[in-house]
Amino acid sequence: YLVPAFDAAFTALFGALAYKYFIKDLKLVPIPLIIAFILSFFLKQGTGITIPVCAIISIVVAYLLLKREQKKLQ
């Protein structure tokens, strides 16, 4: 009876942890969301692949946005 709950645990944990960062800067949301949509619906990948890929993409996007903001301030 508990197996379905454990199947969604990884997704729920990522969502809860990522929410506080995404809500602070909504510019971080579109690219990982589009990639997650493509991986999930078109390529039929599960959350075991989609979430780590989107997490890495989110970190790269945040880094690039930070560098762009720092360049503007100079």
Side-chain angles (χ1 to χ4, degrees):
Y1 295 111
L2 295 177
V3 173
F6 288 111
D7 289 341
F10 187 57
T11 307
L13 285 172
F14 178 75
L17 292 172
Y19 173 77
K20 71 178 188 174
Y21 295 106
F22 288 154
I23 200 67
K24 287 181 184 179
D25 194 359
L26 293 176
K27 292 183 279 185
L28 296 174
V29 176
I31 294 174
L33 185 65
I34 291 168
I35 298 298
F37 182 76
I38 290 169
L39 287 173
S40 295
F41 292 106
F42 294 122
L43 301 179
K44 305 292 184 198
Q45 296 297 317
T47 57
I49 297 295
T50 303
I51 290 176
V53 168
C54 289
I56 292 168
I57 290 171
S58 297
I59 292 168
V60 170
V61 168
Y63 178 77
L64 294 174
L65 287 172
L66 175 67
K67 288 297 183 184
R68 188 173 75 178
E69 290 295 322
Q70 288 176 344
K71 198 177 235 186
K72 281 184 184 178
L73 293 175
Q74 292 179 352

